[in-house]
Amino acid sequence: MSPAKRTDTRSSAPHAADTHDVIRVHSARVNNLRDVSVEIPKRRLTVFTGVSGSGKSSLVFNTIAAESQRLINETYSAFVQGFMPTLARPDVDVLEGLTTAIIVDQQRMGADPRSTVGTATDANAMLRILFSRLGRPHIGPPSAYSFNTASVRASGGITVERGARKTVKATYHRTGGMCVRCEGRGTVSDIDLTQLYDDSKSLNEGALTIPGYSMDGWYGRIFTGCGFFDPDKPIRGYTETELHDLLHKEPTKIKVDGVNLTYEGLIPKIQKSMLAKDVDALQPHVRAFVERAMTFTVCPECDGTRLSEGARSSKIEGVSIADACAMQITDLALWIRKLDEPSVTPLLTALGQTLDSFAEIGLGYLSLDRPAGTLSGGEAQRVKMIRHLGSSLTDVTYVFDEPTAGLHPHDIRRMNDLLLRLRDKGNTVLVVEHKPQTIAIADHVVDLGPGAGTAGGTICFEGTVEGLRAADTVTGRHLDDRAAVKVSVREPTGALEIRGARAHNLQGVDVDIPLGVLAVVTGVAGSGKSSLVHGSIPADAGVVSVDQSPIRGSRRSNPATYTGLLDPIRKAFAKANGVKPALFSANSEGACPACNGAGVVYTDLAMMAGVATTCEDCEGKRFQAAVLDHHLGGRDISEVLAMPVAEAEEFFGSGEAHTPAAQRVLGRLADVGLGYLTLGQPLTTLSGGERQRLKLATQMGDKGGSRSVFVLDEPTTGLHLADVEQLLGLLDRLVDSGRSVVVVEHHLAVMAHADWIIDLGPGAGHDGGRIVFEGTPAELVAARSTVTGEHLAAYVGA
């Protein structure tokens, strides 16, 4: 029988399924967006730009990505949804054409000491399987090499079920690789007893220095009535038994004044009540005590490797899993390639590809045992990218938040290639970005503005990069900005000496950082800049470090409370209305009783994610209704806290509300480019760059004294091209006022504006850690002896 002829019935008309080629947003009103409507092409690279606070994140993260995430969550069963946060629908009329969104942001990874670069990716899991197959002596399955798995032994009637078969075992054991002494943390903590009590005093004389342990309350009655020691005897006179009872005694029932109570030693008591809790969640005075009393040292049993002796003894060609994780990733990749074992060839290939991805993304200088909490925001974002590079998924929307943060111009090209690779696999790539090098590779550009906060929230331009250059928008005008190299530089007034610095990858660096000038420390990612500036400057040098780490404080903290701005505002309101200042604090007498001044009510749903809902009594204003009857300059306190900095500066600058003390703080906030922030915005919602600039504004109010050396860590992060000029002016004013400014920075405009440049390299990891250039920007451009010099010369058109 002849084969049937195949007839092609496809018509030339496009299939209906192929017509969904845009993500359509109609009338988005999230945060400061003003009825924004936009069509974003799918399977293309779209860059969103605009001044800081113009609404980029509101559109990309809080509208498009948030709705995609919410719709995906709704596809899970009700049971699974119970374990997920409840997401509200963004305030938008129409959102069509969404695909699954994968958000790769700069949120730092959890600071759990057992989370490392290896555990955050698949690299550690694959290494453990490799050692369980090839390691000699053989010590057990992959779990035997895991510092997150403890060894377990049990005996008795244990039933093991495998399908329909049930086996009763007398004993059960699981081999884990966790070090018993430090429980997989790599460090052991000890308590400094001198921080718990003053041994020259008796308990009744107030020997205890632990917060809350006063002799006036229940603790005093317990210590006096327990009978284990004399409360009138100085602690240094206690016998060994008495001191043990004071510090370590196990819970013991006692009767004091006819009341049944439990006595427990100080150390187990504070371990449970303070030390076992998240340090950042503690009250400030308790946190300060914990940081004083706790000392951390490298675990003497595992030497900081976190692994048991058995896991460390099993080796492949003389290398243990601890040695492998401590290697620089580029070196580990070479070692993996040298292994020739046919039985695990697929595993070696997969592990090699994962390690190559690190190098490709500019993280080859890391090691797998590097704690995840120590990564910068940019490094954390790139580590998260690793799992997506080899993914087989297509038609996904990848959302990036400034992927070039923390990258040298030399590394930006590599990042651009990765973004284009993701696009070319058929994905939609949305990037929030300020750097011209990344804007240049976009297929489509959306420029938001024209200003920040209430002055932004509209689409100023949509189209190609060439169209943006020709457009009369803030971004278009500044896209081809080039700073000239400073012709005359300031003369140093002294020097900060660093000798023999060996922190991390530094190779015995000797350098003099000039004082009284603007000094820039630069170099490729991983060359040792942070190790030099943060890890090697002497502690007594009077340095103020202004970095991007989270600001410690509760979700009630905001720019007004953090900068001290709220104090003069409260006093001005109190004076104008003849009442107490405490009424105008949402953390004190004026707080709404329903939400205790938080503005939202947090509902803890036990095993499910907690939910925050706006307080119905105060409608999120945080104050009692009676407090809002008091006005200053025609505004109540909640309206003032809702003002952006720029508007508040004008409000407190003249008229009835004239308050010079408030105006000074607001002026500093505007100086650092935060004019768009509202005074009452929770600190937990600020980006890394915004946090750093807020800290800088606060430090600028300090009259200095000995602490006159400012160290800034990439202050241009999150800044629009137009704002960089303002930042340079601010840095100049700081130096001219007698401060010394040291900036770790990759931005070429900042380098060109420096008085002195220190360039580290030549490469990353063990290929870096050396000073490759010291001198003025003009000398660096003339020499072109380093990667930085070449890029700076091209930038200034030399």
Side-chain angles (χ1 to χ4, degrees):
M1 187 179 171
S2 63
K5 283 186 180 176
R6 181 178 178 276
T7 54
D8 197 341
T9 55
R10 285 182 299 178
S11 69
S12 57
H15 193 286
D18 297 327
T19 58
H20 304 283
D21 52 2
V22 293
I23 296 172
R24 197 162 75 87
V25 181
H26 185 67
S27 291
R29 293 174 293 277
V30 174
N31 298 332
N32 67 329
L33 296 180
R34 293 191 282 175
D35 278 321
V36 164
S37 297
V38 64
E39 290 192 348
I40 300 159
K42 285 189 185 174
R43 295 172 284 283
R44 295 291 181 274
L45 174 63
T46 301
V47 170
F48 294 79
T49 187
V51 296
S52 304
S54 59
K56 304 180 297 296
S57 296
S58 298
L59 177 60
V60 178
F61 290 95
N62 302 344
T63 305
I64 298 170
E67 179 64 355
S68 172
Q69 200 76 60
R70 188 184 73 85
L71 293 172
I72 290 166
N73 287 2
E74 284 189 353
T75 64
Y76 298 121
S77 68
F79 174 75
V80 173
Q81 283 185 51
F83 294 93
M84 295 177 163
T86 306
L87 303 171
R89 187 183 185 281
D91 187 5
V92 56
D93 288 352
V94 178
L95 258 177
E96 289 178 345
L98 292 177
T99 70
T100 304
I102 294 175
I103 301 169
V104 189
D105 59 16
Q106 290 188 38
Q107 289 294 322
R108 295 193 180 216
M109 295 188 175
D112 188 299
R114 295 200 195 96
S115 177
T116 65
V117 168
T119 59
T121 57
D122 291 334
N124 247 60
M126 288 191 272
L127 260 186
R128 292 199 298 266
I129 297 170
L130 184 67
F131 272 85
S132 71
R133 302 287 189 275
L134 305 183
R136 293 291 173 267
H138 176 76
I139 59 163
S143 64
Y145 298 89
S146 168
F147 55 76
N148 285 329
T149 307
S151 291
V152 177
R153 281 182 168 74
S155 57
I158 298 163
T159 305
V160 179
E161 293 188 21
R162 285 193 180 88
R165 282 191 307 130
K166 288 188 180 181
T167 313
V168 177
K169 292 188 174 184
T171 60
Y172 166 82
H173 74 272
R174 179 187 66 199
T175 307
M178 181 186 284
C179 168
V180 179
R181 174 78 188 272
C182 65
E183 296 186 336
R185 288 184 171 87
T187 56
V188 286
S189 57
D190 207 354
I191 295 176
D192 181 356
L193 296 181
T194 61
Q195 298 295 335
L196 303 190
Y197 56 78
D198 178 351
D199 67 355
S200 66
K201 295 179 180 175
S202 69
L203 290 177
N204 280 337
E205 288 170 337
L208 298 182
T209 53
I210 307 166
Y213 281 64
S214 136
M215 292 298 284
D216 300 332
W218 272 106
Y219 286 119
R221 294 174 69 177
I222 291 171
F223 289 132
T224 309
C226 68
F228 299 133
F229 34 72
D230 181 358
D232 291 313
K233 181 163 62 168
I235 292 179
R236 66 171 55 151
Y238 278 22
T239 64
E240 199 174 316
T241 306
E242 286 175 326
L243 194 58
H244 175 271
D245 287 346
L246 175 67
L247 296 175
H248 301 289
K249 194 167 184 69
E250 63 281 356
T252 308
K253 299 285 185 196
I254 59 170
K255 199 163 202 165
V256 179
D257 300 336
V259 180
N260 291 323
L261 298 169
T262 300
Y263 174 84
E264 189 174 12
L266 287 176
I267 288 177
K269 189 93 176 161
I270 63 170
Q271 274 177 329
K272 277 185 253 179
S273 64
M274 298 178 190
L275 308 184
K277 294 184 178 173
D278 176 15
V279 178
D280 289 338
L282 298 171
Q283 292 173 288
H285 68 291
V286 179
R287 184 194 305 139
F289 162 75
V290 169
E291 287 171 349
R292 282 197 316 270
M294 293 297 288
T295 56
F296 292 92
T297 52
V298 172
C299 174
E301 203 157 298
C302 68
D303 200 22
T305 62
R306 306 182 169 100
L307 290 159
S308 64
E309 191 181 348
R312 298 196 308 274
S313 69
S314 179
K315 297 183 178 182
I316 302 173
E317 296 186 3
V319 174
S320 70
I321 191 166
D323 299 332
C325 289
M327 284 183 193
Q328 187 169 305
I329 286 173
T330 48
D331 296 343
L332 180 59
L334 289 173
W335 180 73
I336 290 291
R337 282 209 181 80
K338 287 177 189 164
L339 297 178
D340 183 21
E341 181 56 54
S343 64
V344 288
T345 299
L347 179 63
L348 290 171
T349 305
L351 182 53
Q353 286 171 346
T354 299
L355 297 174
D356 287 345
S357 295
F358 277 99
E360 205 177 333
I361 212 161
L363 294 177
Y365 60 88
L366 296 178
S367 59
L368 294 183
D369 64 0
R370 169 87 174 260
T374 65
L375 299 177
S376 69
E379 285 172 333
Q381 184 176 35
R382 298 201 293 284
V383 165
K384 292 173 195 171
M385 275 185 82
I386 299 287
R387 69 187 65 164
H388 303 305
L389 291 177
S391 169
S392 303
L393 290 173
T394 62
D395 252 333
V396 169
T397 300
Y398 285 100
V399 187
F400 291 95
D401 184 11
E402 285 193 69
T404 59
L407 286 183
H408 187 273
H410 173 69
D411 301 310
I412 289 177
R413 199 176 308 150
R414 201 187 270 162
M415 174 57 73
N416 284 351
D417 291 342
L418 293 170
L419 294 173
L420 292 171
R421 258 178 55 194
L422 284 173
R423 177 203 66 185
D424 293 346
K425 280 171 62 177
N427 298 307
T428 306
V429 182
L430 309 182
V431 183
V432 172
E433 188 54 88
H434 296 292
K435 298 269 175 70
Q437 298 100 305
T438 301
I439 295 172
I441 64 164
D443 301 307
H444 190 72
V445 181
V446 177
D447 188 17
L448 283 101
T454 52
T458 61
I459 304 281
C460 298
F461 172 82
E462 244 191 296
T464 63
V465 179
E466 287 311 311
L468 177 65
R469 277 201 172 90
D472 188 26
T473 70
V474 179
T475 307
R477 288 195 297 273
H478 288 272
L479 199 56
D480 293 315
D481 274 5
R482 293 292 180 268
V485 168
K486 197 181 271 186
V487 181
S488 62
V489 294
R490 301 178 181 93
E491 286 299 316
T493 56
L496 203 58
E497 292 185 4
I498 295 176
R499 295 289 178 268
R502 297 191 178 278
H504 298 125
N505 66 329
L506 295 178
Q507 300 180 21
V509 168
D510 295 336
V511 66
D512 290 340
I513 299 177
L515 297 178
V517 300
L518 174 59
V520 169
V521 179
T522 188
V524 296
S527 59
K529 304 180 296 297
S530 296
S531 302
L532 180 68
V533 173
H534 296 301
S536 307
I537 290 179
D540 58 354
V543 169
V544 180
S545 181
V546 187
D547 60 16
Q548 297 188 23
S549 59
I551 294 171
R552 285 179 164 174
S554 68
R555 50 197 171 203
R556 294 167 174 272
S557 303
N558 54 47
T561 58
Y562 181 75
T563 57
L565 170 65
L566 202 56
D567 289 336
I569 291 177
R570 282 202 306 251
K571 286 172 185 166
F573 265 95
K575 189 176 175 186
N577 293 282
V579 293
K580 288 191 297 184
L583 270 181
F584 303 99
S585 168
N587 299 327
S588 186
E589 291 181 27
C592 162
C595 62
N596 294 323
V600 290
V601 177
Y602 293 93
T603 310
D604 182 10
L605 299 178
M607 81 294 292
M608 297 194 287
V611 174
T613 50
T614 304
C615 173
E616 291 180 5
D617 283 28
C618 67
E619 296 177 346
K621 291 180 179 175
R622 304 177 61 190
F623 293 91
Q624 296 175 22
V627 174
L628 302 182
D629 290 337
H630 300 300
H631 291 80
L632 174 68
R635 303 288 186 98
D636 65 43
I637 184 71
S638 71
E639 289 171 328
V640 168
L641 289 175
M643 284 182 183
V645 166
E647 187 186 332
E649 189 180 8
E650 205 176 301
F651 177 73
F652 288 108
S654 59
E656 188 199 337
H658 181 58
T659 312
Q663 202 185 5
R664 280 195 296 274
V665 179
L666 290 161
R668 293 198 297 270
L669 287 170
D671 272 352
V672 297
L674 294 178
Y676 60 91
L677 274 192
T678 57
L679 306 187
Q681 183 174 340
L683 293 187
T684 48
T685 63
L686 301 188
S687 68
E690 286 169 338
R691 287 195 293 262
Q692 184 180 29
R693 297 198 291 282
L694 183 62
K695 290 177 191 176
L696 178 59
T698 308
Q699 292 290 354
M700 281 164 58
D702 180 17
K703 295 302 175 206
S706 62
R707 293 165 65 78
S708 59
V709 182
F710 278 16
V711 174
L712 306 182
D713 195 355
E714 293 194 56
T716 58
T717 301
L719 274 188
H720 186 266
L721 297 161
D723 299 324
V724 172
E725 207 173 309
Q726 186 182 354
L727 177 76
L728 293 175
L730 170 69
L731 297 179
D732 277 342
R733 288 201 300 280
L734 280 173
V735 176
D736 294 339
S737 70
R739 312 284 178 102
S740 301
V741 180
V742 181
V743 183
V744 177
E745 188 55 88
H746 296 118
H747 203 292
L748 292 162
V750 180
M751 290 184 212
H753 197 74
D755 297 307
W756 192 258
I757 288 182
I758 296 168
D759 193 9
L760 280 100
H766 55 49
D767 297 325
R770 296 190 293 276
I771 303 288
V772 292
F773 175 85
E774 283 180 88
T776 64
E779 290 166 352
L780 178 60
V781 167
R784 299 194 192 197
S785 56
T786 69
V787 174
T788 306
E790 288 172 16
H791 281 279
L792 187 58
Y795 175 76
V796 298

